[in-house]
């Protein structure tokens, strides 16, 4: 684990058993998350980003399983902890916020009951103290009139408010790390901006470390300090957000960026990354992006690209830069 890393993932593999064989969702991912940073994991649907996020908390649902690797948190490998220790860690040290708050909240209980339930479950407080803690969290998360809000049911809240409640639950035990899995995807653009602003404020005020999983590069640019771009269960490029956006190296990242709507694209068709993600159950030879890559060379179809470093923390896995490998040490 690097000195500054709060969480280090090493050679993580996750597979799902299917009638057609094992589907490798995560294929040897490694990355470091530093304390207090927002670390983005980005890619298309099916690239392995949600499996990676869930694996951090050992929440891969069957028939999926973590087949190998290490997840080092404070020097301890979470993959070797007994399940009882993981249960104590989930929510208290590392918490997760999911994409669809409406599905995550229980429709038959009030917001107050669900929030105090989480506070009680973590052993933080009970009775009136738990209620007061719930009100304080709602206030911090920008939910107006907490005492009134606590009496409402999830369906009586807007999507943005529901996501604020989910964040309040995630923060109930004051965790060090929040894993936000597409936490703004189900929201409209205005509410999305409010939740992003809220996450940034929580990072500042609480010193939170956030792992932000998204398919939206625009959000990555707004919120993330560094980012890993995933394709077919592997990181193909990683680095500081500035480097990834302004000195993009990998053809897949270049394709994703070109497909982003922005100034100058109004009224014109957007660029697309041609083709679709190949069947993950088939054996891959060489670079997994080769079938869709506009710059593919014969070597790409037979040899897996090695990492090429372009400066502090910026790495791409691509044969285009093979000759430059040693340029920056
Ligand atoms: Fe494209 Fe080859 Fe680079 Fe893969 S290794 S991204 S196929 S140029």
């Amino acid at each position: 684990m690097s000195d500054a890393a709060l969480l280090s993932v090493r050679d993580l593999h996750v597979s799902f058993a299917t009638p057609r064989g094992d589907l490798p969702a995560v294929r040897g991912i490694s990355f470091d998350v530093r304390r207090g940073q927002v670390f983005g994991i980005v890619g298309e649907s099916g690239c392995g980003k949600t499996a990676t996020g869930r694996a951090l908390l050992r929440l891969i649902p069957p028939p999926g399983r973590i087949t190998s690797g290490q997840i080092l948190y404070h020097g301890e490998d979470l993959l070797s902890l007994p399940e009882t220790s993981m249960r104590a860690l989930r929510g208290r040290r590392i918490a997760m916020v999911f994409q669809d708050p409406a599905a995550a909240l229980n429709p038959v209980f009030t917001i107050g009951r669900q929030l105090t339930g989480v506070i009680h479950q973590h052993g933080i407080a009970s009775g009136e103290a738990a209620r007061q803690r719930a009100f304080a969290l709602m206030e911090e998360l920008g939910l107006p009139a907490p005492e009134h809000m606590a009496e409402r049911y999830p369906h009586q809240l807007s999507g943005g408010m529901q996501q604020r409640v989910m964040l309040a639950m995630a923060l109930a035990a004051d965790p060090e790390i929040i894993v936000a899995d597409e936490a703004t995807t189900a929201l409209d653009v205005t509410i999305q901006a409010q939740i992003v602003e809220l996450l940034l404020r929580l990072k500042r005020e609480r010193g939170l470390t956030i792992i932000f999983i998204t398919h939206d590069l625009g959000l990555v640019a707004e919120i993330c300090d560094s980012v890993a771009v995933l394709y077919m269960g592997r990181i193909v490029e990683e680095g500081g957000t500035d480097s990834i956006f302004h000195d993009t190296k990998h053809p897949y990242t270049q394709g994703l960026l070109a497909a982003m709507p922005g100034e100058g694209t109004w009224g014109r068709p957007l660029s697309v990354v041609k083709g679709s993600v190949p069947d993950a159950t088939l054996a891959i030879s060489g670079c997994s992006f080769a079938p869709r890559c506009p710059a593919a060379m014969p070597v790409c179809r037979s040899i897996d690209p090695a990492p090429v470093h372009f400066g502090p923390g910026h790495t791409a896995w691509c044969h285009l830069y093979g000759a430059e490998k040693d340029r920056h040490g």
Side-chain angles (χ1 to χ4, degrees), residues 33-78:
V33 182
R34 284 180 286 107
R35 184 185 298 278
Q37 79 166 165
V38 183
F39 183 86
I41 299 179
V42 70
E44 289 170 286
S45 295
C47 70
K49 52 190 192 304
T50 289
T52 302
R54 283 180 162 270
L56 300 180
L57 280 164
R58 285 183 24 195
L59 287 174
I60 300 288
R65 68 193 197 287
I66 298 169
T67 50
S68 61
Q70 286 185 310
I71 297 169
L72 301 165
Y73 174 58
H74 287 290
E76 202 164 27
D77 183 7
L78 300 186

Coordinates of all heavy atoms in Angstrom, one line a residue, residues 33-78:
V33 N -6.6 5.0 -3.2 CA -7.4 6.1 -2.9 C -6.8 6.8 -1.7 O -6.6 6.2 -0.6 CB -8.8 5.7 -2.5 CG1 -9.7 6.9 -2.3 CG2 -9.4 4.9 -3.7
R34 N -6.4 8.1 -1.9 CA -5.8 8.9 -0.8 C -6.9 9.5 0.1 O -8.0 9.8 -0.3 CB -4.9 10.0 -1.3 CG -3.6 9.5 -1.8 CD -2.7 10.6 -2.4 NE -3.2 11.1 -3.7 CZ -3.8 12.2 -3.9 NH1 -4.0 13.1 -2.9 NH2 -4.2 12.6 -5.1
R35 N -6.5 9.7 1.4 CA -7.4 10.3 2.3 C -7.9 11.7 1.9 O -7.1 12.5 1.4 CB -6.7 10.4 3.7 CG -7.6 10.9 4.8 CD -6.8 11.1 6.1 NE -6.2 9.9 6.5 CZ -6.8 9.0 7.3 NH1 -8.1 9.2 7.6 NH2 -6.2 7.9 7.6
G36 N -9.2 11.9 1.9 CA -9.7 13.2 1.6 C -9.9 13.5 0.1 O -10.3 14.6 -0.2
Q37 N -9.6 12.5 -0.7 CA -9.8 12.8 -2.1 C -11.2 12.3 -2.7 O -11.8 11.4 -2.0 CB -8.6 12.3 -3.0 CG -8.7 10.8 -3.3 CD -7.7 10.4 -4.4 OE1 -7.4 9.2 -4.5 NE2 -7.1 11.3 -5.1
V38 N -11.6 12.8 -3.8 CA -12.7 12.1 -4.5 C -12.1 11.4 -5.7 O -11.4 12.0 -6.6 CB -13.7 13.2 -5.0 CG1 -14.9 12.5 -5.7 CG2 -14.2 14.1 -3.9
F39 N -12.2 10.0 -5.6 CA -11.6 9.2 -6.6 C -12.8 8.7 -7.5 O -13.7 8.0 -7.1 CB -10.9 8.0 -5.9 CG -10.2 7.1 -6.9 CD1 -8.9 7.3 -7.3 CD2 -10.9 5.9 -7.4 CE1 -8.3 6.5 -8.1 CE2 -10.2 5.1 -8.2 CZ -8.9 5.3 -8.6
G40 N -12.7 9.0 -8.8 CA -13.7 8.6 -9.8 C -13.4 7.3 -10.4 O -12.3 7.0 -10.7
I41 N -14.5 6.5 -10.6 CA -14.4 5.2 -11.4 C -15.4 5.4 -12.5 O -16.6 5.5 -12.2 CB -14.7 4.0 -10.5 CG1 -13.6 3.9 -9.4 CG2 -14.6 2.7 -11.4 CD1 -13.8 2.7 -8.5
V42 N -14.9 5.4 -13.7 CA -15.8 5.8 -14.8 C -15.7 4.8 -16.0 O -14.7 4.2 -16.2 CB -15.5 7.2 -15.3 CG1 -14.1 7.3 -16.0 CG2 -16.6 7.8 -16.2
G43 N -16.9 4.6 -16.7 CA -16.9 3.7 -17.8 C -18.3 3.5 -18.2 O -19.3 3.9 -17.6
E44 N -18.5 2.8 -19.4 CA -19.8 2.5 -19.9 C -20.5 1.4 -19.0 O -19.8 0.8 -18.2 CB -19.7 1.8 -21.3 CG -19.3 2.7 -22.4 CD -19.0 2.0 -23.6 OE1 -17.9 1.3 -23.7 OE2 -19.8 2.0 -24.6
S45 N -21.8 1.2 -19.2 CA -22.5 0.1 -18.5 C -21.7 -1.2 -18.8 O -21.3 -1.4 -19.9 CB -23.9 0.0 -19.0 OG -24.6 1.1 -18.7
G46 N -21.6 -2.0 -17.7 CA -21.0 -3.3 -17.9 C -19.5 -3.3 -17.9 O -18.9 -4.4 -18.2
C47 N -18.9 -2.2 -17.6 CA -17.4 -2.2 -17.6 C -16.8 -2.7 -16.3 O -15.6 -2.8 -16.1 CB -16.9 -0.8 -17.9 SG -17.2 0.4 -16.6
G48 N -17.7 -2.9 -15.3 CA -17.2 -3.4 -14.0 C -17.1 -2.4 -12.9 O -16.6 -2.7 -11.8
K49 N -17.6 -1.2 -13.1 CA -17.4 -0.2 -12.0 C -18.3 -0.5 -10.8 O -17.8 -0.3 -9.7 CB -17.7 1.2 -12.6 CG -18.9 1.5 -13.4 CD -18.9 2.8 -14.0 CE -20.2 3.3 -14.6 NZ -20.9 2.3 -15.5
T50 N -19.5 -0.9 -11.0 CA -20.4 -1.2 -9.8 C -19.9 -2.4 -9.1 O -19.8 -2.5 -7.9 CB -21.9 -1.4 -10.3 OG1 -22.4 -0.1 -10.7 CG2 -22.7 -2.0 -9.2
A51 N -19.4 -3.5 -9.9 CA -18.8 -4.7 -9.2 C -17.6 -4.3 -8.4 O -17.4 -4.8 -7.3 CB -18.5 -5.7 -10.3
T52 N -16.8 -3.3 -8.9 CA -15.6 -2.9 -8.1 C -16.1 -2.2 -6.9 O -15.6 -2.5 -5.8 CB -14.8 -1.9 -9.0 OG1 -14.4 -2.5 -10.2 CG2 -13.6 -1.4 -8.3
G53 N -17.1 -1.3 -7.0 CA -17.5 -0.6 -5.8 C -18.1 -1.5 -4.7 O -17.8 -1.4 -3.5
R54 N -18.9 -2.5 -5.2 CA -19.5 -3.4 -4.2 C -18.5 -4.3 -3.6 O -18.6 -4.7 -2.4 CB -20.6 -4.2 -4.9 CG -21.9 -3.5 -5.2 CD -22.9 -4.3 -5.9 NE -24.3 -3.8 -5.7 CZ -25.1 -4.1 -4.7 NH1 -24.7 -4.9 -3.8 NH2 -26.3 -3.6 -4.7
A55 N -17.5 -4.7 -4.4 CA -16.4 -5.5 -3.9 C -15.7 -4.9 -2.7 O -15.3 -5.6 -1.8 CB -15.4 -5.9 -5.0
L56 N -15.6 -3.6 -2.7 CA -14.9 -2.9 -1.6 C -15.5 -3.2 -0.3 O -14.9 -3.2 0.7 CB -14.9 -1.4 -1.9 CG -14.2 -0.9 -3.2 CD1 -14.3 0.6 -3.3 CD2 -12.8 -1.4 -3.2
L57 N -16.8 -3.4 -0.3 CA -17.5 -3.7 0.9 C -18.0 -5.2 1.0 O -18.8 -5.6 1.8 CB -18.8 -2.8 1.1 CG -18.4 -1.5 1.6 CD1 -19.6 -0.5 1.3 CD2 -18.1 -1.5 3.1
R58 N -17.4 -6.0 0.1 CA -17.8 -7.4 0.0 C -19.3 -7.6 -0.1 O -19.9 -8.4 0.6 CB -17.2 -8.2 1.1 CG -15.7 -8.3 1.0 CD -15.0 -9.1 2.0 NE -15.8 -10.1 2.8 CZ -15.4 -10.7 3.9 NH1 -14.2 -10.4 4.4 NH2 -16.1 -11.5 4.6
L59 N -19.9 -6.8 -1.0 CA -21.3 -6.9 -1.2 C -21.7 -7.4 -2.6 O -22.6 -6.9 -3.2 CB -21.9 -5.5 -1.0 CG -22.0 -5.0 0.4 CD1 -22.5 -3.5 0.5 CD2 -22.9 -5.9 1.3
I60 N -20.8 -8.2 -3.2 CA -21.1 -8.8 -4.5 C -22.2 -9.9 -4.3 O -22.1 -10.8 -3.6 CB -19.9 -9.5 -5.1 CG1 -18.7 -8.5 -5.3 CG2 -20.2 -10.2 -6.4 CD1 -18.9 -7.5 -6.4
P61 N -23.4 -9.7 -4.9 CA -24.5 -10.6 -4.8 C -24.2 -11.9 -5.5 O -23.6 -11.9 -6.6 CB -25.7 -9.9 -5.3 CG -25.1 -8.9 -6.3 CD -23.7 -8.6 -5.9
P62 N -24.6 -13.1 -5.0 CA -24.5 -14.3 -5.8 C -25.3 -14.2 -7.1 O -26.3 -13.5 -7.1 CB -25.0 -15.4 -4.8 CG -25.5 -14.7 -3.6 CD -25.3 -13.3 -3.7
P63 N -24.9 -14.8 -8.1 CA -23.8 -15.8 -8.3 C -22.4 -15.2 -8.5 O -21.5 -15.8 -9.0 CB -24.2 -16.6 -9.5 CG -24.9 -15.6 -10.4 CD -25.6 -14.6 -9.4
G64 N -22.3 -13.9 -8.1 CA -21.0 -13.3 -8.2 C -20.1 -13.6 -7.1 O -20.6 -14.0 -6.0
R65 N -18.8 -13.5 -7.3 CA -17.9 -13.7 -6.1 C -16.5 -13.0 -6.4 O -16.2 -12.8 -7.6 CB -17.7 -15.2 -5.8 CG -16.9 -15.9 -6.9 CD -17.0 -17.4 -6.7 NE -16.0 -18.1 -7.4 CZ -16.0 -18.3 -8.7 NH1 -17.0 -17.8 -9.5 NH2 -15.0 -18.9 -9.3
I66 N -15.9 -12.6 -5.4 CA -14.5 -12.1 -5.5 C -13.6 -13.3 -5.6 O -13.6 -14.1 -4.6 CB -14.2 -11.2 -4.3 CG1 -15.1 -10.0 -4.2 CG2 -12.7 -10.7 -4.4 CD1 -15.1 -9.2 -2.9
T67 N -12.9 -13.4 -6.7 CA -12.1 -14.6 -6.8 C -10.6 -14.4 -6.3 O -10.0 -15.4 -5.9 CB -12.0 -15.1 -8.3 OG1 -11.7 -14.0 -9.1 CG2 -13.4 -15.6 -8.7
S68 N -10.1 -13.2 -6.4 CA -8.8 -13.0 -5.8 C -8.5 -11.5 -5.7 O -9.2 -10.7 -6.2 CB -7.7 -13.7 -6.7 OG -7.7 -13.1 -8.0
G69 N -7.4 -11.2 -5.0 CA -7.0 -9.8 -4.9 C -6.9 -9.4 -3.5 O -7.0 -10.2 -2.5
Q70 N -6.6 -8.2 -3.2 CA -6.5 -7.6 -1.9 C -7.2 -6.2 -1.9 O -7.1 -5.5 -2.9 CB -5.1 -7.4 -1.5 CG -4.3 -8.6 -1.2 CD -2.9 -8.2 -0.7 OE1 -2.2 -7.4 -1.3 NE2 -2.5 -8.7 0.5
I71 N -7.9 -5.9 -0.8 CA -8.4 -4.6 -0.5 C -7.9 -4.2 0.8 O -8.4 -4.6 1.9 CB -10.0 -4.6 -0.6 CG1 -10.5 -5.1 -1.9 CG2 -10.5 -3.2 -0.2 CD1 -12.0 -5.4 -2.0
L72 N -6.9 -3.3 0.8 CA -6.2 -2.9 2.0 C -6.7 -1.6 2.5 O -6.7 -0.6 1.8 CB -4.7 -2.8 1.7 CG -4.0 -4.1 1.2 CD1 -2.6 -3.7 0.6 CD2 -3.9 -5.1 2.3
Y73 N -7.2 -1.7 3.7 CA -7.8 -0.5 4.4 C -7.1 -0.4 5.8 O -7.2 -1.4 6.6 CB -9.3 -0.7 4.5 CG -10.0 0.4 5.3 CD1 -9.9 1.7 5.0 CD2 -10.8 0.0 6.4 CE1 -10.6 2.7 5.7 CE2 -11.4 1.0 7.2 CZ -11.3 2.3 6.8 OH -12.0 3.3 7.5
H74 N -6.4 0.7 6.0 CA -5.6 0.8 7.2 C -4.7 -0.4 7.3 O -4.5 -0.9 8.4 CB -6.5 1.0 8.5 CG -7.1 2.3 8.5 ND1 -6.4 3.5 8.8 CD2 -8.4 2.7 8.4 CE1 -7.2 4.5 8.8 NE2 -8.4 4.1 8.5
G75 N -4.2 -0.9 6.2 CA -3.2 -2.0 6.2 C -3.8 -3.3 6.4 O -3.1 -4.3 6.4
E76 N -5.1 -3.4 6.6 CA -5.7 -4.7 6.8 C -6.4 -5.1 5.5 O -7.1 -4.3 4.9 CB -6.8 -4.6 7.9 CG -7.1 -5.9 8.5 CD -7.9 -5.6 9.9 OE1 -8.5 -4.5 10.0 OE2 -7.8 -6.4 10.7
D77 N -6.3 -6.4 5.1 CA -6.9 -6.9 3.9 C -8.4 -7.3 4.2 O -8.7 -8.2 4.9 CB -6.2 -8.1 3.4 CG -6.8 -8.6 2.0 OD1 -7.7 -7.9 1.5 OD2 -6.3 -9.6 1.5
L78 N -9.3 -6.5 3.6 CA -10.7 -6.7 3.9 C -11.2 -8.0 3.4 O -12.2 -8.6 3.9 CB -11.6 -5.6 3.3 CG -11.3 -4.1 3.8 CD1 -12.3 -3.2 3.2 CD2 -11.3 -4.1 5.3

